Amino acid sequence: MRRNNHMINILFAILVTCISCNLLAQEPIRVGTTTANFLEIGYGTAGCGMGDAYVSMAKDLSAIYWNPAGLAYLKKQQALFVYQPWFVDSQLMLSSVGFNIPTIGTFAISMVGLNFGTMDVTTLAQQEGTGEKFNAVDQSFVISYGRKLGTWFATGASLKSISSQVWHLRASAFAFDLGVLINTPFFSPTGNPREGLTIGMSISNYGTKMSYDGMDLLFPIDILQEEDGNYAYAEGKFSLQEWDLPLIFRLGISVNLIYTDYHQITVSTDALHPNNNSESVNIGAQYLMRIPTFGKLYARCGYKALFMDKSEYGPTVGFGVRLNTLFNTGIDLGYAYRSMGILGNSESIGIGISF
């Protein structure tokens, strides 16, 4: 027991140091230097409603995105469906399912897709359109696993297959996520370590680079235009460079300010270190009301990307309800609203089923 407490004290000291250092942005800030940026969009109404401050609180199926270690806390089988209208009429959807095997851990699979819709093909010569249409789609297929290695420690990992298509161009990559969750006895309002401060850490999208390839890069060339007798229309091809995936390191804590049989107030903060922007901090809060035989009610709020250089992110709000149904099943309904500055606003609608 003393050894566990000593390890917790060390981890807590490291966490405080990292968050303090994370407030100092590093230069240069590599904005616009990664691809497949749909991997940065938060999924799930709970995390989005709390300003994306969810790495230490994700203990449901949405942990596939925030922190795969949170899958270890699933007690039943779950399915989650999320719909998020995005900018310029694009549509983002997530479908996932998780299976808990008590003696082994929790396995989950998910599919994320961002569809940009159908657009007109234009050229410099035909700027009003050629009459053709094209579409663009980004997708990710994820296999995740989470398991408790002790009463106070859980870990998890995800393997991702990522693909992107723009008309006839395609690109693909592989990546993985790693995460841990640590429960500590600090600041427990009840004295129970399970209700104390929780530390969460994750690294997302560590993987291969992406480069687009396809028939749209082909073009005829004449190597020696001033000479006759050579191949006037030899087949040429643009060679595109490779791009990194949006690598994100998250470090966060959450604390219960109030914890009773019927009411719970939790505050959370995450520090982020991405490879394509400045460091930032997310903060959030959640109020939970337990209603016997009925279920649970949630109210959430937060603020995303504090201290980010030239951020367009802003406040977030959300709510949720969990309905207890017959045969020991449950239904979770949620909604989140996020302010995105000059880009407008974003909404998230989710439904989950436990069985």
Side-chain angles (χ1 to χ4, degrees):
M1 183 66 181
R2 291 182 178 179
R3 183 180 179 183
N4 288 346
N5 290 336
H6 181 65
M7 292 178 62
I8 291 173
N9 290 335
I10 294 175
L11 290 168
F12 184 67
I14 294 173
L15 173 69
V16 173
T17 302
C18 290
I19 289 181
S20 300
C21 296
N22 207 48
L23 298 179
L24 301 176
Q26 298 180 0
E27 297 289 347
I29 300 172
R30 299 173 55 209
V31 176
T33 60
T34 59
T35 188
N37 293 98
F38 75 105
L39 298 173
E40 297 179 278
I41 303 172
Y43 308 118
T45 58
C48 295
M50 294 184 63
D52 287 16
Y54 209 60
V55 70
S56 63
M57 292 189 62
K59 296 181 179 180
D60 56 8
L61 201 51
S62 68
I64 292 174
Y65 172 79
W66 305 103
N67 186 351
L71 294 173
Y73 291 85
L74 267 67
K75 298 180 180 179
K76 301 178 180 178
Q77 282 52 256
Q78 289 188 7
L80 176 65
F81 307 94
V82 178
Y83 171 70
Q84 295 183 187
W86 205 235
F87 307 120
V88 295
D89 296 327
S90 57
Q91 311 291 326
L92 188 149
M93 289 179 287
L94 174 143
S95 300
S96 58
V97 61
F99 304 92
N100 176 260
I101 304 175
T103 58
I104 299 178
T106 300
F107 295 88
I109 57 174
S110 68
M111 174 69 75
V112 178
L114 178 60
N115 193 327
F116 294 92
T118 302
M119 293 165 274
D120 294 324
V121 176
T122 61
T123 65
L124 291 176
Q126 297 173 287
Q127 298 186 20
E128 298 299 323
T130 65
E132 297 177 285
K133 302 283 186 179
F134 79 98
N135 62 355
V137 178
D138 290 337
Q139 291 181 324
S140 175
F141 179 76
V142 186
I143 301 175
S144 304
Y145 172 74
R147 182 178 181 180
K148 288 184 181 180
L149 300 181
T151 58
W152 59 280
F153 185 82
T155 185
S158 295
L159 177 64
K160 300 179 178 179
S161 173
I162 305 158
S163 63
S164 179
Q165 178 181 349
V166 182
W167 204 9
H168 302 117
L169 298 182
R170 288 179 172 82
S172 62
F174 291 93
F176 66 86
D177 301 349
L178 296 174
V180 296
L181 274 177
I182 304 167
N183 294 320
T184 77
F186 298 113
F187 309 115
S188 174
T190 64
N192 189 334
R194 294 183 179 180
E195 282 89 54
L197 179 144
T198 301
I199 302 171
M201 292 174 279
S202 70
I203 182 170
S204 303
N205 310 319
Y206 183 82
T208 62
K209 295 184 177 182
M210 291 184 69
S211 178
Y212 285 88
D213 192 12
M215 60 180 293
D216 295 330
L217 300 178
L218 300 175
F219 65 102
I221 58 174
D222 187 349
I223 299 176
L224 301 173
Q225 298 183 6
E226 304 300 327
E227 297 185 11
D228 296 328
N230 65 319
Y231 292 100
Y233 296 101
E235 186 178 84
K237 186 177 184 180
F238 290 102
S239 178
L240 303 184
Q241 72 180 85
E242 294 182 326
W243 295 84
D244 291 321
L245 298 175
L247 183 68
I248 307 173
F249 175 71
R250 294 182 177 91
L251 188 61
I253 58 176
S254 56
V255 179
N256 293 312
L257 300 182
I258 296 176
Y259 194 101
T260 68
D261 292 338
Y262 302 106
H263 305 279
Q264 180 179 341
I265 296 179
T266 308
V267 294
S268 177
T269 181
D270 287 6
L272 278 72
H273 178 84
N275 67 341
N276 60 0
N277 211 323
S278 63
E279 287 85 356
S280 62
V281 172
N282 302 331
I283 58 174
Q286 175 179 268
Y287 168 68
L288 164 61
M289 176 187 292
R290 299 179 179 89
I291 304 175
T293 69
F294 174 80
K296 301 176 182 178
L297 297 177
Y298 300 88
R300 307 178 178 105
C301 64
Y303 201 98
K304 179 178 170 63
L306 290 170
F307 311 111
M308 177 181 283
D309 186 62
K310 300 179 181 178
S311 171
E312 290 296 331
Y313 295 104
T316 65
V317 295
F319 62 87
V321 57
R322 177 179 177 83
L323 304 174
N324 294 330
T325 60
L326 297 175
F327 308 110
N328 200 28
T329 61
I331 298 177
D332 293 278
L333 305 173
Y335 173 83
Y337 173 92
R338 295 188 283 187
S339 173
M340 305 287 285
I342 62 174
L343 298 177
N345 304 309
S346 170
E347 296 176 301
S348 179
I349 302 169
I351 178 171
I353 302 173
S354 301
F355 53 94

Coordinates of all heavy atoms in Angstrom, one line a residue, residues 278-335:
S278 N -0.1 25.4 -31.1 CA 0.5 25.8 -29.8 C -0.1 24.9 -28.7 O -1.2 24.4 -28.9 CB 0.3 27.3 -29.5 OG -1.1 27.6 -29.4
E279 N 0.5 24.8 -27.6 CA -0.1 24.1 -26.4 C -1.3 24.9 -26.0 O -1.4 26.1 -26.2 CB 0.9 24.0 -25.3 CG 2.0 23.0 -25.6 CD 3.2 23.6 -26.3 OE1 3.1 24.7 -26.8 OE2 4.2 22.8 -26.5
S280 N -2.2 24.2 -25.3 CA -3.4 24.8 -24.8 C -4.0 24.0 -23.6 O -3.5 22.9 -23.3 CB -4.5 24.8 -25.9 OG -4.9 23.5 -26.4
V281 N -5.0 24.6 -23.0 CA -5.6 23.9 -21.9 C -7.1 23.9 -22.1 O -7.7 25.0 -22.5 CB -5.3 24.7 -20.6 CG1 -6.1 24.1 -19.4 CG2 -3.8 24.5 -20.3
N282 N -7.8 22.8 -21.8 CA -9.2 22.7 -21.8 C -9.7 22.6 -20.4 O -9.1 21.9 -19.6 CB -9.7 21.5 -22.6 CG -9.2 21.5 -24.1 OD1 -9.0 22.6 -24.6 ND2 -9.0 20.4 -24.7
I283 N -10.9 23.2 -20.1 CA -11.5 23.1 -18.8 C -12.9 22.7 -18.9 O -13.6 23.1 -19.9 CB -11.3 24.3 -17.9 CG1 -12.0 25.5 -18.6 CG2 -9.9 24.6 -17.6 CD1 -12.0 26.8 -17.8
G284 N -13.5 22.0 -18.0 CA -14.9 21.6 -18.0 C -15.4 21.2 -16.7 O -14.7 21.0 -15.7
A285 N -16.8 21.1 -16.6 CA -17.4 20.7 -15.4 C -18.7 19.9 -15.8 O -19.3 20.1 -16.8 CB -17.8 22.0 -14.6
Q286 N -19.1 19.0 -14.8 CA -20.3 18.2 -15.1 C -21.0 18.1 -13.7 O -20.4 17.8 -12.7 CB -19.9 16.8 -15.6 CG -21.0 15.9 -15.7 CD -20.6 14.5 -16.2 OE1 -20.6 14.3 -17.4 NE2 -20.2 13.6 -15.3
Y287 N -22.3 18.3 -13.9 CA -23.2 18.0 -12.7 C -24.1 16.8 -13.0 O -24.7 16.7 -14.1 CB -24.2 19.2 -12.5 CG -25.3 18.9 -11.5 CD1 -25.0 18.7 -10.2 CD2 -26.6 18.8 -12.0 CE1 -26.1 18.4 -9.3 CE2 -27.6 18.5 -11.1 CZ -27.4 18.3 -9.7 OH -28.4 18.0 -8.9
L288 N -24.1 15.8 -12.1 CA -24.8 14.6 -12.3 C -25.8 14.4 -11.2 O -25.5 14.6 -10.0 CB -23.8 13.4 -12.2 CG -24.4 12.0 -12.0 CD1 -25.3 11.6 -13.1 CD2 -23.3 11.0 -11.9
M289 N -27.1 14.2 -11.6 CA -28.1 13.9 -10.6 C -28.6 12.5 -10.8 O -29.0 12.1 -11.9 CB -29.3 14.8 -10.8 CG -30.5 14.5 -9.9 SD -32.0 15.6 -10.3 CE -31.4 17.2 -9.7
R290 N -28.6 11.7 -9.8 CA -29.1 10.3 -9.8 C -30.5 10.2 -9.4 O -30.8 10.7 -8.3 CB -28.2 9.4 -9.0 CG -26.7 9.3 -9.4 CD -25.9 8.4 -8.5 NE -24.6 8.3 -8.9 CZ -23.6 9.1 -8.5 NH1 -23.9 10.1 -7.6 NH2 -22.4 9.0 -8.9
I291 N -31.4 9.6 -10.2 CA -32.8 9.5 -9.8 C -33.1 8.0 -9.7 O -33.0 7.3 -10.7 CB -33.7 10.2 -10.9 CG1 -33.3 11.6 -11.1 CG2 -35.2 10.1 -10.5 CD1 -34.0 12.3 -12.2
P292 N -33.4 7.6 -8.5 CA -33.7 6.1 -8.3 C -34.8 5.6 -9.3 O -35.8 6.3 -9.6 CB -34.2 6.0 -6.9 CG -33.6 7.2 -6.2 CD -33.6 8.3 -7.3
T293 N -34.5 4.4 -9.8 CA -35.4 3.7 -10.8 C -35.4 4.4 -12.2 O -35.7 3.7 -13.2 CB -36.8 3.5 -10.3 OG1 -37.5 4.8 -10.2 CG2 -36.8 2.9 -8.9
F294 N -35.3 5.7 -12.2 CA -35.3 6.4 -13.5 C -34.0 6.4 -14.3 O -34.0 6.0 -15.4 CB -35.8 7.8 -13.3 CG -35.8 8.7 -14.5 CD1 -36.8 8.6 -15.5 CD2 -34.7 9.5 -14.8 CE1 -36.8 9.4 -16.6 CE2 -34.7 10.3 -16.0 CZ -35.7 10.2 -16.9
G295 N -32.9 6.8 -13.6 CA -31.7 6.9 -14.3 C -30.8 8.1 -13.8 O -30.8 8.4 -12.6
K296 N -30.2 8.8 -14.7 CA -29.3 9.9 -14.4 C -29.6 11.1 -15.3 O -29.9 10.9 -16.5 CB -27.9 9.5 -14.5 CG -27.5 8.3 -13.6 CD -26.0 7.9 -13.9 CE -25.7 6.6 -13.0 NZ -24.3 6.2 -13.3
L297 N -29.3 12.3 -14.8 CA -29.4 13.5 -15.6 C -28.0 14.2 -15.5 O -27.4 14.2 -14.5 CB -30.5 14.4 -15.1 CG -31.9 14.0 -15.2 CD1 -32.8 15.0 -14.6 CD2 -32.3 13.7 -16.6
Y298 N -27.6 14.8 -16.7 CA -26.3 15.4 -16.7 C -26.4 16.8 -17.3 O -27.2 17.1 -18.2 CB -25.3 14.7 -17.7 CG -25.0 13.2 -17.3 CD1 -25.9 12.2 -17.8 CD2 -23.9 12.9 -16.5 CE1 -25.6 10.9 -17.4 CE2 -23.6 11.6 -16.2 CZ -24.5 10.6 -16.7 OH -24.2 9.3 -16.4
A299 N -25.6 17.7 -16.7 CA -25.5 19.1 -17.2 C -24.0 19.4 -17.3 O -23.2 19.1 -16.4 CB -26.2 20.1 -16.4
R300 N -23.5 19.9 -18.5 CA -22.1 20.1 -18.7 C -21.8 21.4 -19.3 O -22.6 22.0 -20.0 CB -21.6 19.0 -19.7 CG -21.9 17.6 -19.2 CD -21.5 16.5 -20.2 NE -21.7 15.2 -19.8 CZ -22.7 14.4 -20.3 NH1 -23.5 14.9 -21.3 NH2 -22.9 13.2 -19.9
C301 N -20.6 21.9 -19.0 CA -20.1 23.1 -19.6 C -18.6 23.1 -19.6 O -18.0 22.3 -19.0 CB -20.6 24.4 -18.9 SG -20.0 24.5 -17.2
G302 N -18.0 24.0 -20.4 CA -16.5 24.0 -20.5 C -16.0 25.1 -21.4 O -16.8 25.9 -22.0
Y303 N -14.7 25.1 -21.6 CA -14.1 26.1 -22.5 C -12.9 25.4 -23.1 O -12.0 24.8 -22.4 CB -13.7 27.4 -21.7 CG -13.5 28.5 -22.6 CD1 -14.4 29.5 -22.8 CD2 -12.3 28.7 -23.4 CE1 -14.3 30.6 -23.6 CE2 -12.1 29.8 -24.2 CZ -13.1 30.7 -24.3 OH -13.0 31.8 -25.2
K304 N -12.8 25.5 -24.4 CA -11.7 24.8 -25.1 C -10.6 25.7 -25.6 O -10.9 26.8 -26.0 CB -12.4 24.1 -26.4 CG -11.4 23.3 -27.2 CD -12.1 22.6 -28.4 CE -11.1 22.1 -29.4 NZ -10.3 21.0 -28.9
A305 N -9.4 25.2 -25.5 CA -8.2 25.9 -26.1 C -7.8 27.2 -25.4 O -7.5 28.1 -26.1 CB -8.4 26.0 -27.6
L306 N -7.9 27.2 -24.1 CA -7.3 28.3 -23.4 C -5.8 28.4 -23.7 O -5.1 27.4 -23.7 CB -7.5 28.2 -21.9 CG -9.0 28.4 -21.5 CD1 -9.1 28.0 -20.0 CD2 -9.5 29.8 -21.7
F307 N -5.3 29.6 -23.8 CA -3.8 29.9 -24.1 C -3.4 29.4 -25.4 O -2.2 29.6 -25.7 CB -3.0 29.2 -23.0 CG -3.4 29.4 -21.6 CD1 -3.9 28.4 -20.8 CD2 -3.3 30.7 -21.0 CE1 -4.4 28.6 -19.5 CE2 -3.7 30.9 -19.7 CZ -4.2 29.9 -19.0
M308 N -4.2 28.9 -26.3 CA -3.8 28.6 -27.7 C -3.6 29.9 -28.4 O -4.3 30.9 -28.3 CB -4.9 27.8 -28.4 CG -4.5 27.5 -29.8 SD -5.8 26.5 -30.7 CE -5.4 24.9 -30.0
D309 N -2.6 29.9 -29.3 CA -2.3 31.1 -30.1 C -3.3 31.3 -31.1 O -3.5 30.5 -32.0 CB -0.9 30.9 -30.7 CG -0.4 32.2 -31.4 OD1 -0.2 33.2 -30.8 OD2 -0.2 32.1 -32.7
K310 N -4.0 32.5 -31.1 CA -5.0 32.8 -32.1 C -6.1 31.8 -32.2 O -6.5 31.3 -33.3 CB -4.4 33.1 -33.5 CG -3.3 34.2 -33.5 CD -2.7 34.4 -34.8 CE -1.6 35.5 -34.8 NZ -1.0 35.6 -36.2
S311 N -6.7 31.4 -31.1 CA -7.7 30.4 -31.1 C -9.1 31.0 -31.5 O -9.4 32.1 -31.1 CB -7.8 29.8 -29.7 OG -8.9 28.9 -29.6
E312 N -9.8 30.1 -32.2 CA -11.2 30.5 -32.5 C -12.2 29.6 -31.7 O -13.4 29.8 -31.8 CB -11.5 30.2 -34.0 CG -10.8 31.2 -34.9 CD -11.3 32.6 -34.8 OE1 -12.5 32.8 -34.4 OE2 -10.5 33.5 -35.0
Y313 N -11.7 28.8 -30.8 CA -12.6 28.0 -30.0 C -13.1 28.9 -28.8 O -12.6 29.9 -28.5 CB -11.8 26.8 -29.4 CG -11.3 25.8 -30.4 CD1 -10.0 25.8 -30.8 CD2 -12.2 24.9 -31.0 CE1 -9.6 24.8 -31.7 CE2 -11.8 24.0 -31.9 CZ -10.5 24.0 -32.3 OH -10.0 23.1 -33.2
G314 N -14.2 28.3 -28.2 CA -14.8 29.1 -27.2 C -15.6 28.2 -26.2 O -15.2 27.1 -26.0
P315 N -16.6 28.8 -25.6 CA -17.4 28.0 -24.5 C -18.2 26.9 -25.2 O -18.5 26.9 -26.3 CB -18.3 29.1 -23.9 CG -18.4 30.1 -25.0 CD -17.1 30.1 -25.7
T316 N -18.4 25.9 -24.3 CA -19.2 24.7 -24.7 C -20.3 24.4 -23.7 O -20.1 24.7 -22.5 CB -18.4 23.5 -24.9 OG1 -17.8 23.1 -23.7 CG2 -17.2 23.8 -25.9
V317 N -21.4 23.9 -24.1 CA -22.4 23.4 -23.1 C -23.0 22.1 -23.6 O -22.9 21.8 -24.8 CB -23.6 24.5 -23.0 CG1 -23.0 25.8 -22.3 CG2 -24.2 24.8 -24.3
G318 N -23.7 21.4 -22.7 CA -24.3 20.1 -23.1 C -25.1 19.6 -22.0 O -25.1 20.0 -20.9
F319 N -25.9 18.6 -22.4 CA -26.7 17.9 -21.4 C -26.9 16.4 -21.8 O -26.6 16.1 -23.0 CB -28.1 18.5 -21.2 CG -28.9 18.5 -22.4 CD1 -29.7 17.5 -22.7 CD2 -28.9 19.6 -23.3 CE1 -30.6 17.4 -23.8 CE2 -29.7 19.6 -24.4 CZ -30.5 18.5 -24.7
G320 N -27.3 15.6 -20.9 CA -27.5 14.2 -21.2 C -28.5 13.5 -20.2 O -28.7 14.1 -19.2
V321 N -29.0 12.4 -20.6 CA -29.9 11.7 -19.8 C -29.7 10.2 -20.0 O -29.4 9.7 -21.1 CB -31.4 12.0 -20.1 CG1 -31.7 11.8 -21.6 CG2 -32.3 11.2 -19.2
R322 N -29.7 9.5 -18.9 CA -29.5 8.0 -19.0 C -30.8 7.4 -18.4 O -31.2 7.7 -17.3 CB -28.4 7.5 -18.2 CG -28.3 6.0 -18.2 CD -27.1 5.4 -17.4 NE -27.1 4.0 -17.3 CZ -26.6 3.2 -18.3 NH1 -26.1 3.7 -19.4 NH2 -26.6 1.9 -18.2
L323 N -31.5 6.6 -19.3 CA -32.8 6.0 -18.9 C -32.5 4.5 -18.6 O -32.0 3.7 -19.4 CB -33.7 6.1 -20.1 CG -34.0 7.6 -20.6 CD1 -34.9 7.5 -21.8 CD2 -34.7 8.4 -19.5
N324 N -32.9 4.1 -17.4 CA -32.9 2.7 -17.1 C -34.2 2.0 -17.6 O -35.3 2.5 -17.4 CB -32.9 2.5 -15.6 CG -31.6 3.0 -14.9 OD1 -30.5 3.0 -15.6 ND2 -31.7 3.5 -13.7
T325 N -34.0 0.9 -18.4 CA -35.1 0.2 -19.0 C -35.1 -1.2 -18.5 O -34.4 -1.6 -17.6 CB -34.9 0.2 -20.5 OG1 -33.7 -0.4 -20.9 CG2 -34.8 1.6 -21.1
L326 N -36.1 -2.0 -19.0 CA -36.2 -3.3 -18.6 C -35.1 -4.2 -19.0 O -34.2 -3.9 -19.8 CB -37.5 -3.9 -19.2 CG -38.8 -3.2 -18.8 CD1 -40.0 -3.8 -19.5 CD2 -39.1 -3.3 -17.3
F327 N -35.0 -5.3 -18.3 CA -34.0 -6.4 -18.6 C -32.5 -5.8 -18.4 O -31.6 -6.2 -19.2 CB -34.1 -6.9 -20.1 CG -35.5 -7.3 -20.4 CD1 -36.3 -6.6 -21.2 CD2 -36.1 -8.5 -19.8 CE1 -37.6 -7.0 -21.5 CE2 -37.4 -8.9 -20.1 CZ -38.2 -8.1 -20.9
N328 N -32.4 -4.9 -17.5 CA -31.1 -4.4 -17.1 C -30.3 -3.8 -18.2 O -29.1 -3.8 -18.4 CB -30.2 -5.6 -16.5 CG -29.1 -5.1 -15.7 OD1 -29.1 -4.0 -15.1 ND2 -28.0 -5.8 -15.6
T329 N -31.0 -3.1 -19.1 CA -30.4 -2.3 -20.2 C -30.6 -0.8 -19.9 O -31.4 -0.4 -19.0 CB -31.1 -2.7 -21.5 OG1 -32.5 -2.3 -21.5 CG2 -30.9 -4.2 -21.8
G330 N -29.9 0.0 -20.7 CA -30.0 1.4 -20.5 C -29.8 2.2 -21.8 O -29.2 1.7 -22.7
I331 N -30.4 3.4 -21.9 CA -30.3 4.2 -23.1 C -29.7 5.6 -22.6 O -30.2 6.2 -21.7 CB -31.6 4.4 -23.8 CG1 -32.2 3.0 -24.2 CG2 -31.5 5.3 -24.9 CD1 -33.5 3.1 -24.9
D332 N -28.7 6.0 -23.3 CA -28.0 7.3 -23.1 C -28.3 8.2 -24.3 O -28.0 7.9 -25.4 CB -26.5 7.1 -22.9 CG -26.2 6.4 -21.6 OD1 -26.2 7.0 -20.5 OD2 -25.9 5.2 -21.7
L333 N -28.8 9.4 -24.0 CA -29.1 10.4 -25.0 C -28.3 11.7 -24.6 O -28.3 12.1 -23.4 CB -30.6 10.8 -25.1 CG -31.5 9.6 -25.3 CD1 -33.0 10.1 -25.2 CD2 -31.2 9.0 -26.7
G334 N -27.7 12.3 -25.5 CA -26.8 13.5 -25.2 C -26.8 14.5 -26.3 O -27.0 14.2 -27.5
Y335 N -26.5 15.7 -25.9 CA -26.4 16.8 -26.9 C -25.3 17.8 -26.4 O -25.1 18.0 -25.2 CB -27.7 17.6 -27.0 CG -27.6 18.9 -27.8 CD1 -27.7 18.8 -29.2 CD2 -27.4 20.1 -27.2 CE1 -27.6 20.0 -29.9 CE2 -27.3 21.3 -28.0 CZ -27.4 21.2 -29.3 OH -27.3 22.3 -30.1

